[in-house]
Every structure is written in C-alpha cells, then in structure tokens.
Amino acid sequence: MSIWALLVIVGILLIVLHIPPGMIWAERKVAARIQGRWGPTRVGPFGLLQPLADAVKLLTKEEVIPRGAERPLYYMGPLLAFVPGALALAVVPFGHDMRVGDTVIQLQIADLHVGVLFVLALTSLAVYGLAFGGWSSDSKYPLLGGLRSSAQMVSYEVALGLAVVAVIMSAGTVSIREMVLAQQELLFGFLPAWNVFFQPVAALIFLVAAFAENNRLPFDMPEAEAELVGGYHTEYSGMKFGMFFLGEYVAMTVMSAVMVSLFFGGWGLPGLTDPHDTSVGNALVSAAVFLVKVAALLFFYIWVRWTLPRFRYDQLMRLGWKVLIPLALANVVVTGLFGVL
Amino acid sequence: MKAPEHPSPAGLVGPAQTSAAAGAAASGAAGEPAAHGAAEGEPDEEPESEPPPGRSWVERLYLREIASGLARTFRHLVLERPFTTDYPDEQLPYNPRARGEHILKVDEQGREKCVACLLCEAACPSKCIRIVVGPSPWPDRERYPVEFEIDMLRCIYCGYCEDACPCDAIELTPKPYSVYDNREAYIYDKEKLKNNYPQDWRERFSGGYGKLTGPPYRGEGGDRSLIR
C-alpha cells in the first residue's frame, strides 16, 4: 500500500468523522428554524460548538447498565450500529482520479468490483446493532424497538436491493467506480447522464427505502419516542448512546454517498468537472462537488424529518411489501425489457 | 313535452318543493350512516385501515401533499424569522397593570409621601409590612415612617396596600421579580423601596400595553434589563 492510499484513507475518515457533529448541529438548527425557534445559539458562533458540548456531556456522563443486561451483546450493540456503516464508505469514490507525478491516486479507499453488493451487505449489518441493543437491554421498550427495527430493515432491504438491481442492469456494472464514470456524459447535450433520469422509479424507491433503512422519520419506527420511550437505545447512556447517535448519522452519510454515486452522478457535474482530466485541481473540485451533493441529500433527510409525520407500523409494512417491492420488481422487469430491445 | 312546461310552475312551487326535497335528502343522508355505524360497529377501527374510498391511486400517493408540506417547511426555514424571545437576555415587557414589586412614592422635594397611618400594614393579608412610626420632621404632616420594611418573601402581591393607602404613597409596579442568594436581601427597607423602580414609571408607560418609553430601565441586583 502506498503512502498515498494511506493519506486517502485518513482524509476520507477525517471527513466522515466530521459529518456527524455537523449533522447534529444542522439537525437542531434546521428543526428549530422550521418550528420558528432559534436553535442552539449559546455555544460558539451560531451555536456551532454545540456538538462539542454534546460530546463532552456524553463522555462525562455516568454510564448506567441495566442489571439484567446481556453484557457482551450490550457492549456490541453500539459498535455494530456504527462500524459496518462506516466501512461501507470504503467503496464510494469521493472524487475523480488525480495524477501526482507518475502515480494515479484514486480518491476511493477500495475499488471493489462488487462495490454495490459490498455496500448492501454492510449497511444491512447495522440491523444487528439495533437488534442486539434492543434485546440485550432486558427492558420491554428497547426490545420492541429492536424487533421493529429488524422487521423494518429486513423488509426495506428487499426494496432497496431491487431498486439497485435495476440500476445495475441499466449500467451494466456492479462497481460503483465504473457506474460513476458512466454517468459523466451529457444527455441530449444539456442533461447530465445521471441514472436518476434513466431510472427515476428506482431512485424514488431507493430514496424511500434509504429513509427506512436509516430509521429516519417518517419511518423511525424503532425509535418512535412517543410510543417506545427511545426505542432500542432507551437503556443506553453516556458514550454508548452517543455511538448509536453517531451510527445513525454515519449510516445516513453512507446512504447519501451511495445514492449520489448510484443516481446523481457521483463526483461529476458537467461544466465543473472533466472526466478525462486527471489533474489535482480537477480531482479536488470533483471531491467538493461530491461532498456538496451528499450534504444536499443529508439536508433533505433533515428537511423531510421535520415535515412528514411518522407512519404507523402496519402502514409501514404495507408500503414496504405491497407497494415498494412490487414496484421495484416491475421496474426490474421493465428495465430488462428495455435492455433486450 | 315536460321541458317547455317546467319553467312556469317551477317559479311558483319550485323553491318550496326543492328545499323540502333537499331537507329530506339531507336528513336521510345524516341519519343513515349513523344507524349504519351503530348497527355494524365502527368500520374505521379495523386495524389495517384502508384509505378513504373515492380517491384514485394517484391521489393516494400523496405526492402533491408531500411536496406542499415540504414547501411549507422550507418557507419556514428560510423566510420566517423565529419569534423566540431570547429569554434571559431579552424579556418581554409586562403589562403596566401587572402587580410586581412595590415602590414608595416621593413628592417633589424627595420626601416620601407616606404619613405612617398604618392602613397598609392593617390591610396586608400576609403581614409583610413593618412600619416604625415617628414624629414628622416636616411641618406639613404629623407622622412619618422612621422605618418601612416589606418582606418580599412574605408578600403575595395582592395590591391591598395600594388600595388602602390614602395618599398614594405605595404602589405596585410591574417589576416582576428579584433574585438574591440570601433571605435578608428580600427584606426591602425604605431606601430600597424608594429606588426600587423609576418613580415616573407610569408616565413612561404612556405607550399603552407593554411600551415603556424613555431610556431603558436596568434594575439592580439579580434583575436584568426589564425592557428591551
């Protein structure tokens, strides 16, 4: 492994680890402004240091572990919620290749040929974190939350996968890197050749399923604070609770990054980035474009959260099984027919 | 055949007939579902509730509603200014008729108006006023309060003292509260009561509800700015 690869890994890790604090701040601020409040204003300018204060609070808080807790699983829960999601970022290209001297550096930790499958596999692992956390707490509300999250994530995993299948069929590759590269051309001379224009239904299904996968409103069934206290993390405190929090935001970041790569052209923006240029400047611009796109999707997450009410559990299941999955299947069939013709 | 005949009689009997028919239809429409519901139980309460009938699948996607909801929240996000009062730093003014802490009024020469008649002390239901009477040093009155103390922890801000006072010497102002770290500080003596609030606060409230005109007043002690 070259020193450059190491640098890329460190850089991506740094970026990703700075997203959750930013998200916490943005979430509180956006929520407040939508509700006609100011949000955090006290800690630092515009309350920007609020996540830091939150982190200090979480780190210094007493950790209460329920007496009947299943210790190993109880400790594993927050880790499992956090680590697999973060790992999935390894296959997402953060920018175009850049050439320094003779070496070509990929702004991507690992260019797996099965990148999409890798992402699907790892993001679905997060359900173990929630299920373990819910079950091992020895408390009824976390148990219910864990159960719900398992059912929900397993259900929406199917729709998510089927939506991706259609994209794979139309793109003809499973490597995220190649998918992104294939989206760099122009369509009819003005429209970027993003998959969202070829596969709008798949994009919509992916979006909805991604919300459900990340347990975000309107699908935050596992938490459902009005019904389940806090859901799977009710009995967690201190930094273990913080890890669940981090995991949620990292999972959202991953989903956004994957969605940007699959549907919204990854790091490319016609006019700003040039897919045939491998200069350092172009690579940095492409990385910035990618991050802006991810940030826009993350904002969309927050925006939707404070707009739509929570689904009821049976409505959630009906939407998943009776609407999204048939729709995704039909989409796959139609895509296949187009491919044959 | 009927069509040409219709207009002429309709002008005479039409309105009564149609309204009666409409009334019958309305009562039928209102009565029927009620009986229906009582007989069959509430059809709405089945666990997997179907969407209301009569909507097409396009409507049931609720895409338009979701979009309008998103637009609404976005408008709140970017256009509308929060209407939060940043409480400890800025405080909403109280109504001038609010009953807060007392003030002892003084006359033009800076002497307290009080003549130590003890009516306020007698009227006070919580016995928070303590007055020590002494012979007045001024020729225009016989008595004056040598000491005048109000225990703000006992006071219930009923305003009876203000009602009882024959010479408007004691007033309840809208000054809301004071915070100290010891109980002794809550026993206000005569000097403290005289300077507890601007003597001319009534004039400065000329703007009506909540509008204190003139320079902003800043209280002492734990009190922060009263009026922004």
Side-chain angles (χ1 to χ4, degrees):
Chain A
M1 182 192 290
S2 71
I3 184 79
W4 290 109
L6 207 63
L7 274 180
V8 168
I9 291 174
V10 170
I12 288 180
L13 209 59
L14 276 182
I15 291 173
V16 170
L17 286 184
H18 278 85
I19 286 178
M23 280 295 288
I24 290 171
W25 177 82
E27 178 117 58
R28 296 178 66 159
K29 212 67 181 170
V30 170
R33 295 308 287 267
I34 283 177
Q35 296 168 352
R37 299 183 285 114
W38 278 111
T41 54
R42 297 272 150 178
V43 197
F46 306 106
L48 270 171
L49 297 180
Q50 185 69 42
L52 209 64
D54 287 350
V56 169
K57 186 203 80 175
L58 284 174
L59 282 170
T60 52
K61 257 177 106 166
E62 181 190 1
E63 296 226 16
V64 182
I65 298 175
R67 194 182 300 141
E70 193 76 29
R71 291 296 179 102
L73 292 184
Y74 186 82
Y75 283 112
M76 264 167 74
L79 287 176
L80 274 178
F82 174 69
V83 174
L87 274 180
L89 275 174
V91 295
V92 177
F94 272 64
H96 197 29
D97 299 345
M98 64 181 177
R99 179 183 295 277
V100 181
D102 291 336
T103 50
V104 174
I105 306 157
Q106 294 179 0
L107 293 186
Q108 182 181 16
I109 295 176
D111 176 21
L112 287 192
H113 294 302
V114 288
V116 180
L117 301 181
F118 183 77
V119 167
L120 285 180
L122 279 177
T123 50
S124 59
L125 272 183
V127 70
Y128 285 107
L130 314 194
F132 283 4
W135 181 77
S136 65
S137 298
D138 190 35
S139 171
K140 51 181 170 289
Y141 292 118
L143 179 61
L144 283 172
L147 273 176
R148 282 184 176 193
S149 69
S150 318
Q152 173 180 330
M153 291 176 86
V154 167
S155 307
Y156 279 81
E157 196 85 359
V158 182
L160 193 82
L162 286 173
V164 171
V165 164
V167 178
I168 293 173
M169 286 166 74
S170 72
T173 173
V174 193
S175 156
I176 295 186
R177 177 187 162 76
E178 285 171 29
M179 271 188 194
V180 172
L181 277 174
Q183 293 179 61
Q184 299 311 316
E185 306 304 320
L186 275 180
L187 210 59
F188 312 126
F190 65 97
L191 208 59
W194 294 351
N195 278 334
V196 67
F197 300 116
F198 296 117
Q199 293 283 348
V201 178
L204 190 67
I205 293 169
F206 190 94
L207 183 72
V208 175
F211 273 81
E213 280 290 295
N214 291 336
N215 301 318
R216 288 287 293 187
L217 266 166
F219 306 114
D220 70 336
M221 244 358 91
E223 284 182 45
E225 64 271 12
E227 308 157 26
L228 295 180
V229 193
Y232 55 86
H233 57 56
T234 305
E235 301 290 350
Y236 282 88
S237 52
M239 206 51 216
K240 289 202 195 63
F241 170 73
M243 286 293 272
F244 272 125
F245 226 63
L246 274 180
E248 186 188 326
Y249 285 119
V250 167
M252 282 164 61
T253 313
V254 172
M255 273 297 170
S256 304
V258 171
M259 193 165 177
V260 164
S261 299
L262 291 191
F263 293 102
F264 295 104
W267 41 258
L269 189 67
L272 262 183
T273 59
D274 181 4
H276 309 296
D277 182 8
T278 52
S279 68
V280 176
N282 186 53
L284 292 182
V285 169
S286 68
V289 166
F290 179 79
L291 288 178
V292 167
K293 282 181 182 175
V294 171
L297 263 182
L298 287 175
F299 168 74
F300 187 68
Y301 266 96
I302 301 176
W303 184 15
V304 166
R305 171 172 181 185
W306 298 103
T307 303
L308 299 181
R310 179 180 301 127
F311 272 55
R312 214 172 49 210
Y313 191 63
D314 61 301
Q315 293 170 331
L316 175 87
M317 282 299 158
R318 200 177 57 194
L319 178 69
W321 288 101
K322 290 167 88 173
V323 179
L324 287 187
I325 291 177
L327 197 63
L329 275 172
N331 189 43
V332 168
V333 170
V334 171
T335 310
L337 286 177
F338 266 102
V340 169
L341 293 178
Chain B
M1 266 169 71
K2 259 186 180 168
E5 271 180 0
H6 206 75
S8 48
L12 289 171
V13 274
Q17 266 183 345
T18 46
S19 70
S27 69
E32 212 172 323
H36 217 68
E40 290 184 21
E42 290 300 314
D44 298 342
E45 282 182 5
E46 61 190 52
E48 191 174 330
S49 76
E50 291 295 323
R55 292 194 191 159
S56 68
W57 66 272
V58 179
E59 281 174 317
R60 276 189 275 137
L61 283 178
Y62 293 106
L63 284 182
R64 196 170 58 88
E65 283 74 12
I66 289 174
S68 75
L70 285 172
R72 160 80 45 176
T73 46
F74 195 75
R75 220 167 23 246
H76 276 266
L77 178 66
V78 284
L79 292 184
E80 295 193 7
R81 193 188 141 81
F83 32 84
T84 311
T85 309
D86 199 5
Y87 168 62
D89 289 345
E90 50 173 333
Q91 297 183 19
L92 292 178
Y94 280 71
N95 189 305
R97 295 177 60 176
R99 294 197 302 259
E101 291 190 346
H102 308 70
I103 180 178
L104 269 186
K105 299 289 275 186
V106 296
D107 59 16
E108 305 78 44
Q109 299 163 45
R111 312 174 301 180
E112 55 270 17
K113 285 182 178 174
C114 179
V115 295
C117 65
L118 305 187
L119 278 176
C120 52
E121 195 182 307
C124 182
S126 57
K127 301 276 174 274
C128 66
I129 304 178
R130 190 180 73 87
I131 302 173
V132 174
V133 186
S136 164
W138 308 299
D140 59 342
R141 64 192 80 165
E142 285 176 18
R143 300 158 24 125
Y144 94 117
V146 180
E147 286 177 35
F148 195 113
E149 281 181 6
I150 299 180
D151 186 344
M152 286 299 173
L153 290 177
R154 288 192 65 92
C155 178
I156 59 170
Y157 304 98
C158 62
Y160 285 3
C161 47
E162 184 175 359
D163 291 346
C165 186
C167 36
D168 291 339
I170 191 168
E171 260 179 9
L172 265 61
T173 68
K175 182 179 178 180
Y177 58 84
S178 296
V179 179
Y180 307 103
D181 57 2
N182 59 330
R183 286 168 170 267
E184 286 70 32
Y186 282 96
I187 301 174
Y188 287 12
D189 62 8
K190 198 167 73 177
E191 285 310 306
K192 168 98 181 165
L193 283 169
K194 277 197 220 170
N195 302 315
N196 200 22
Y197 207 62
Q199 288 276 339
D200 59 343
W201 66 272
R202 271 191 201 283
E203 287 76 52
R204 285 165 64 174
F205 259 115
S206 57
Y209 175 83
K211 290 214 178 107
L212 188 58
T213 53
Y217 169 66
R218 217 162 236 288
E220 54 186 30
D223 203 26
R224 296 200 187 210
S225 88
L226 178 75
I227 303 295
R228 182 157 57 104

